[in-house]
Amino acid sequence: MIALPAPNPATLARRDALVAGLRKILPAADGVIADPVRLKPYETDGLTAYRQMPLAVVLPETTEQVAAILAFCQAQNVRVIPRGAGTSLAGGALPLADAVVIGMMRMNRILQIDYADRYAVVQAGVTNLGITRAVEADGFFYAPDPSSQLACMIGGNIGMNSGGAHCLKYGVTANNVLGVKLVTITGDIIELGGTHLDAAGYDWLGIIIGSEGQLGIVTEITVRILRAAEGTRAMLAAFSSNAIAGACVDAIIGSGIIPVALEFMDRPAIHACEAFAHAGYPLDAEAMLIIEVEGSADEQTAMLERIKEICSAFAPTSLKISQNDAESAAIWKGRKGAFGAIGRISPDYLCMDGTIPTSTLPQVLARIEALSAEYGLKVANIFHAGDGNLHPLIMFDANQAGQMQKAEAFGADILRLCVEVGGCLTGEHGVGVEKRDLMKVQFTEIELDLQRAVKSAFDPDWLLNTAKVFPLDRLPARASLPHAA
Amino acid sequence: MQTNFTEVQLRDPAIQVADSILRSCVHCGFCTATCPSFITVGDEDDSPRGRIYLIKEMLESGSAASAPVAFHLDRCLSCLSCMTTCPSGVDYMHLIDHARTHVEQTFRRPWHDRGLRAVLAAILPYPARMRWALRAAGLARPFVGLIPQRGVLFARMRAMLALAASERVVAQGVGDVTAQTVHPAQGTRRGRVLLLAGCAQRVLDPGIHAATIRLLNRMGVEVVIPQAAGCCGALTHHMGKHAAFVAQAGATIRAMTDALDEETDAIIINVSGCGTVVKDYGFALRGEGPDLAGKAAKISALAMDVSAYLLKIGYQRTRPESGLTIAYHAACSLQHGQKITDAPKALLRQAGFRVVEPRDAHLCCGSAGTYNILQPEIASSLRARKLDTLTALSPDAIAAGNIGCLTQLAGAGIPTIHTVELLDWMAGGPCPAGLKS
Ligand code: SF4
Ligand code: SF4
């Protein structure tokens, strides 16, 4: 288990006064939650292995309220945890015992849509899919599409620089955000970027996006919206082994074709998702690829023909092209619900998130299989194969003593393997608490020190989402985080 | 998700069921996005995942429900949208049903809350009392302005009067068609069904049963109404009043069972809120002795929403197309509870209507049984949201298969009509009252 720092006793002792102070900022009856029963559901996010009750939860409705809360917390030297929909698989929204959780879900309005210049201004608590829903009738969409896009909020996407199935073609969050309104720990409201790509000076957005809520709290975001393609079509290609499917992915990418999405699922994943989505997945296959192309009908057909040809060289057990939008929707419903669907075959899972060069895919998959046998824990493999972003799901039973620890050790081995073959620790879920202590596998101490210095520049007392991302040793003196025993 | 029940706790079969439901939730949070209460309130505690967590803590602790837990569980509409969304197949319905019973048994609500619930449970399931109450409410209506504007109690009183004095146009002079037991098929008999007469709908809009019977008879189906089968028990079930539920459901089940014969095709239900509960009798009454449990399971297996039955036997239009645009409002109990989504729309299209659907069709309109009375604030916000999306379609009428929704959505200038009345009209029946005006 990854250790959390001991809480600051001075903060805990002032709990009632702090809550009273927060209530002055948010007078609405339910704007501040301090009752332990009500706080309980906030103790965890999508990574339920880690749980910690916060001091209080606040639910602001305006940027000004967020600013007032942050100014108050800094004045009182109280730690702060930003939270969106609480879907993080890396424990990004895990509270600390002496921290105030700032829940952004009430800031869920779309403020402006500009089709002429193709951008939308939204509050941080708007869901990822909510943006596309708001513009799709007019033929537009917001490109990054993490699997949890139905529920996850755009503020959290900024924190983790989220990706998704369609990032192969359209890039990740960082490539699709034009500007943000950021509240600093001092309670100042600043604007970074604007309504077009490439702002003057340093790439401030590049620093903020993916900073896991450690530099400030983003309350408003200007996102790029794109004109939707004329049409899309998905194809299912089934294979007789993980390695063969992996080799096929490499061949497709190597051929120079860039499908909009190229997704991989192995046997356990296929079965769990089919039970949920009834999408007609090939239940006899060992591995399956979802390949999506877009464009005019002719373009789609031409691309699919070429992809089919490549697949044929790998003796596919079946190839199926969706015949209509409803079929495509079902195919994606299965893929997007994949993590949750694993709940049908296992009570608990750890979802890993590493990135590897696509050419190493067959080798990495074989190694994961071997590790699975070694640890005696099953794995379902689901991932964005096109850009080498792996999501092996390690299945375990948290009610059995010791299994959680075993699963964590297995996961760490997989991530080390990713770094070993030339990839990295995180694709799109962020570091959070989950991969915090593995950062040293990826970075040298000098690199980490520089990164810590950036955090200190924004947040000298390390109050914002502390105890994540950076290993707890070598923190700057002012961070005053007592080491965990 | 990890759970922490002791071995002793797990000896209770009900806790075993709850445990396995809790274990199947992986806490992914997908369900929060489609939950009407979460969208309205913006608090994890008012989301499905948050409620699952609250229930887990409450049951694991083995202690009485606390006021905050009761508060947040009460704000759940039991719309079951979360079940449609959940990739893991979490059986939220049985979990919240169990939790509601636990709350009712272990938590003492404030006096006015207890009183209101008792009054609703004592009136709504009984048609005669309900008729009387509606008349009394009608007399009280002119005094609505005297009710103070603040306070949950007064908001609930206003909500009740507004519903009682609904401006919905319903067929007049229909009489109580449910008083007659056997309604013979016209022409050769192709089938025989039992119809659940139920309670509130029969009083609020007797034309719905009349249309159902006319249409089925015309299609060659004999309709039998077992007189002793009254309220299905949904109302008390959703209040967690288990004993009252078992008594009401038990009476209905026995009456239905007595009326069954070899040739009975189905038990037809035209209030989808009731249908969801009747289809769950087998589970809900599994612990009530082998005799009742066995009968309950049989009734559940035979229960069918009227739309599913009509589609199965082949509905046909006889009148020329009306040219009307109908906005189909999917009742939650039908779309989420019974997973019937296409049948009513397909039938309306077969009846020659242009069928349109609102944005966010998965969201509840706020009716949800007695929810609109008990939680007037969230209910009215959901109503406004639903009406916005419906009026944007400029329909000639709104169709739904649940009397609660029809009442909830009335009063916005668009007639709200039960699907079956529209189908009956196009197959030779009278024009629905709501459309005549
Ligand atoms: S969608 Fe299902 S598995 Fe996910 S949090 Fe909700 S109930 Fe749990
Ligand atoms: S039943 Fe409806 S209101 Fe209740 S938790 Fe599920 S989605 Fe939310």
Side-chain angles (χ1 to χ4, degrees):
Chain A
M1 293 292 280
I2 293 173
L4 295 178
N8 183 340
T11 310
L12 295 184
R14 282 181 300 134
R15 187 172 182 278
D16 292 347
L18 292 169
V19 168
L22 292 166
R23 288 225 158 96
K24 272 199 200 121
I25 302 171
L26 295 178
D30 58 352
V32 179
I33 302 173
D35 177 300
V37 174
R38 285 189 158 116
L39 282 179
K40 197 75 181 165
Y42 285 92
E43 73 174 358
T44 187
D45 54 16
L47 182 69
T48 51
Y50 289 87
R51 298 182 290 270
Q52 174 59 58
M53 288 271 275
L55 189 84
V57 171
V58 293
L59 302 172
E61 289 169 52
T62 66
T63 299
E64 289 66 33
Q65 287 175 345
V66 174
I69 293 162
L70 285 184
F72 175 80
C73 287
Q74 196 200 28
Q76 301 289 333
N77 195 33
V78 174
R79 297 191 181 102
V80 175
I81 311 284
R83 177 183 168 109
T87 51
S88 172
L89 292 163
L94 178 73
L96 292 170
D98 56 3
V100 171
V101 168
I102 304 192
M104 298 298 288
M105 52 264 216
R106 289 190 175 171
M107 294 190 63
N108 60 357
R109 279 178 311 126
I110 295 192
L111 303 173
Q112 190 195 345
I113 296 173
D114 188 320
Y115 290 121
D117 291 324
R118 293 188 304 282
Y119 67 85
V121 184
V122 304
Q123 289 185 317
V126 172
T127 61
N128 172 296
L129 193 61
I131 303 176
T132 293
R133 287 271 156 84
V135 297
E136 69 189 351
D138 296 297
F140 284 81
F141 74 113
Y142 173 65
D145 61 336
S147 295
S148 57
Q149 70 179 146
L150 172 69
C152 66
M153 293 171 180
I154 188 71
N157 289 183
I158 300 263
M160 298 308 193
N161 191 12
S162 306
H166 290 79
C167 290
L168 186 54
K169 177 159 179 186
Y170 295 106
V172 292
T173 303
N175 308 104
N176 290 277
V177 168
L178 302 172
V180 298
K181 188 178 267 186
L182 181 86
V183 184
T184 65
I185 188 67
T186 48
D188 291 303
I189 300 168
I190 60 172
E191 309 229 9
L192 301 171
T195 54
H196 47 83
L197 284 174
D198 259 349
Y202 279 17
D203 180 9
W204 294 112
L205 282 179
I207 293 175
I208 299 303
I209 298 173
S211 65
E212 309 209 6
Q214 294 202 313
L215 305 183
I217 295 188
V218 169
T219 58
E220 277 177 35
I221 299 101
T222 305
V223 296
R224 195 147 71 109
I225 50 173
L226 302 173
R227 200 170 263 294
E230 223 173 284
T232 60
R233 222 155 1 137
M235 177 172 127
L236 296 178
F239 300 92
S240 58
S241 81
N242 281 354
I244 296 178
C248 182
V249 168
D250 195 38
I252 294 173
I253 297 295
S255 74
I257 303 178
I258 301 193
V260 248
L262 178 48
E263 299 286 305
F264 176 108
M265 283 171 143
D266 71 359
R267 188 182 185 88
I270 296 170
H271 281 251
C273 296
E274 177 63 16
F276 163 54
H278 311 291
Y281 289 173
L283 294 176
D284 54 346
E286 285 303 319
M288 172 187 92
L289 300 178
I290 302 173
I291 308 161
E292 188 170 76
V293 298
E294 65 180 17
S296 68
D298 287 348
E299 285 167 340
Q300 293 172 30
T301 314
M303 271 239 239
L304 285 174
E305 277 311 315
R306 279 191 62 198
I307 293 170
K308 249 165 114 177
E309 217 173 276
I310 298 172
C311 291
S312 306
F314 296 87
T317 51
S318 69
L319 286 176
K320 190 180 130 194
I321 295 174
S322 79
Q323 295 306 314
N324 51 48
D325 288 352
E327 276 185 34
S328 293
I331 287 175
W332 283 112
K333 184 179 171 195
R335 169 60 190 87
K336 301 259 169 173
F339 300 167
I342 294 298
R344 292 170 184 263
I345 50 175
S346 170
D348 301 278
Y349 63 76
L350 273 187
C351 174
M352 309 318 293
D353 168 44
T355 303
I356 54 165
T358 54
S359 62
T360 62
L361 205 52
Q363 167 200 347
V364 169
L365 288 175
R367 187 80 191 100
I368 291 177
E369 227 171 282
L371 283 169
S372 162
E374 222 170 90
Y375 279 98
L377 292 176
K378 284 201 210 130
V379 188
N381 282 297
I382 298 169
F383 49 86
H384 310 306
D387 46 17
N389 186 188
L390 297 179
H391 294 310
L393 291 134
I394 302 171
M395 296 182 252
F396 67 100
D397 180 347
N399 280 13
Q400 306 286 325
Q403 282 216 1
M404 163 68 202
Q405 287 72 11
K406 237 196 211 176
E408 275 201 319
F410 183 2
D413 278 354
I414 292 180
L415 294 180
R416 268 188 217 106
L417 172 67
C418 292
V419 176
E420 217 171 90
V421 299
C424 70
L425 281 182
T426 148
E428 55 186 9
H429 297 173
V431 177
V433 69
E434 183 211 10
K435 279 162 286 197
R436 186 190 73 196
D437 292 351
L438 287 168
M439 284 289 272
K440 293 185 178 185
V441 179
Q442 178 100 52
F443 297 104
T444 64
E445 278 303 339
I446 297 173
E447 288 165 338
L448 285 174
D449 277 345
L450 281 170
Q451 295 174 17
R452 290 187 189 106
V454 174
K455 163 130 178 95
S456 292
F458 280 83
D459 178 21
D461 298 314
W462 283 58
L463 297 175
L464 280 160
N465 216 12
T466 314
K468 321 244 167 93
V469 185
F470 299 104
L472 291 188
D473 58 346
R474 287 172 66 91
L475 294 187
R478 276 183 70 181
S480 65
L481 262 188
H483 280 232
Chain B
M1 196 162 57
Q2 188 173 14
T3 54
N4 279 306
F5 289 104
T6 63
E7 258 170 58
V8 179
Q9 284 177 312
L10 284 172
R11 268 180 232 144
D12 175 352
I15 290 291
Q16 256 174 46
V17 172
D19 179 57
S20 74
I21 298 172
L22 290 166
R23 300 229 60 207
S24 68
C25 171
V26 294
H27 214 257
C28 67
F30 277 33
C31 53
T32 60
T34 58
C35 169
S37 64
F38 177 75
I39 291 172
T40 310
V41 178
D43 180 349
E44 176 80 12
D45 295 340
D46 282 311
S47 77
R49 183 178 63 173
R51 293 192 177 105
I52 289 169
Y53 220 81
L54 290 170
I55 294 171
K56 174 173 118 71
E57 293 296 318
M58 172 176 80
L59 296 180
E60 283 175 350
S61 76
S63 48
S66 61
V69 171
F71 177 84
H72 290 293
L73 297 192
D74 282 353
R75 299 219 289 193
C76 166
L77 297 118
S78 275
C79 70
L80 308 182
S81 174
C82 46
M83 287 181 70
T84 299
T85 303
C86 177
S88 186
V90 172
D91 184 355
Y92 178 82
M93 178 172 84
H94 289 146
L95 187 66
I96 187 83
D97 287 350
H98 176 110
R100 288 196 202 281
T101 307
H102 185 85
V103 170
E104 189 62 20
Q105 285 168 355
T106 62
F107 175 67
R108 198 171 158 80
R109 299 173 184 281
W111 65 269
H112 55 86
D113 203 1
R114 245 180 304 142
L116 177 57
R117 282 161 194 269
V119 167
L120 291 173
I123 293 179
L124 296 187
Y126 307 96
R129 297 182 201 171
M130 173 116 176
R131 270 186 208 106
W132 171 86
L134 284 181
R135 232 169 286 137
L139 296 176
R141 176 101 178 129
F143 305 104
V144 69
L146 299 179
I147 303 177
Q149 285 302 318
R150 292 176 71 89
V152 60
L153 181 58
F154 300 125
R156 285 170 164 181
M157 281 171 70
R158 269 197 309 280
M160 237 184 326
L161 285 178
L163 282 181
S166 161
E167 286 147 39
R168 216 177 141 247
V169 182
V170 300
Q172 298 299 321
V174 182
D176 189 2
V177 285
T178 53
Q180 181 185 329
T181 304
V182 179
H183 301 257
Q186 284 175 25
T188 352
R189 194 177 95 163
R190 298 165 59 198
R192 176 187 194 262
V193 298
L194 309 186
L195 176 69
L196 175 70
C199 54
Q201 169 174 280
R202 180 170 170 188
V203 179
L204 289 170
D205 188 349
I208 297 174
H209 277 327
T212 306
I213 295 167
R214 269 196 311 266
L215 179 58
L216 287 169
N217 286 167
R218 216 182 291 119
M219 292 168 81
V221 178
E222 176 180 294
V223 179
V224 177
I225 301 177
Q227 293 298 312
C231 173
C232 67
L235 189 107
T236 44
H237 188 44
H238 290 145
M239 285 187 182
K241 297 182 187 293
H242 189 66
F245 165 63
V246 173
Q248 283 161 349
T252 295
I253 289 167
R254 290 194 182 92
M256 287 285 181
T257 309
D258 290 345
L260 285 179
D261 67 15
E262 294 289 293
E263 290 166 12
T264 310
D265 297 335
I267 294 169
I268 298 297
I269 297 155
N270 57 12
V271 185
S272 61
C274 309
T276 305
V277 171
V278 173
K279 286 183 174 179
D280 194 46
Y281 275 169
F283 181 89
L285 298 168
R286 68 196 184 287
E288 305 303 323
D291 177 57
L292 185 56
K295 287 177 176 154
K298 187 156 184 202
I299 299 300
S300 287
L302 280 168
M304 260 183 123
D305 185 72
V306 62
S307 64
Y309 185 73
L310 288 172
L311 199 70
K312 185 178 139 204
I313 63 169
Y315 168 82
Q316 260 169 354
R317 163 170 67 92
T318 56
R319 288 191 197 277
E321 276 187 28
S322 65
L324 296 183
T325 296
I326 302 294
Y328 175 69
H329 162 69
C332 293
S333 39
L334 208 50
Q335 62 172 341
H336 303 306
Q338 302 182 47
K339 301 275 180 274
I340 294 177
T341 50
D342 293 334
K345 289 181 276 179
L347 288 164
L348 286 167
R349 273 188 218 105
Q350 282 172 25
F353 298 107
R354 188 175 152 254
V355 180
V356 291
E357 284 176 272
R359 202 190 145 101
D360 294 337
H362 62 277
L363 287 181
C364 180
C365 65
S367 165
T370 52
Y371 191 92
N372 45 9
I373 295 170
L374 293 169
Q375 303 288 342
E377 252 181 69
I378 300 176
S380 63
S381 141
L382 289 171
R383 174 178 185 267
R385 187 180 172 126
K386 184 59 79 182
L387 280 172
D388 275 352
T389 57
L390 283 165
T391 45
L393 304 165
S394 320
D396 295 301
I398 296 167
N402 189 48
I403 183 71
C405 312
L406 295 174
T407 312
Q408 173 83 347
L409 296 170
I414 308 171
T416 62
I417 303 174
H418 195 288
T419 310
V420 89
E421 289 188 270
L422 291 164
L423 299 177
D424 173 51
W425 175 35
M426 283 296 116
C431 177
L435 274 180
K436 277 190 225 147
S437 43

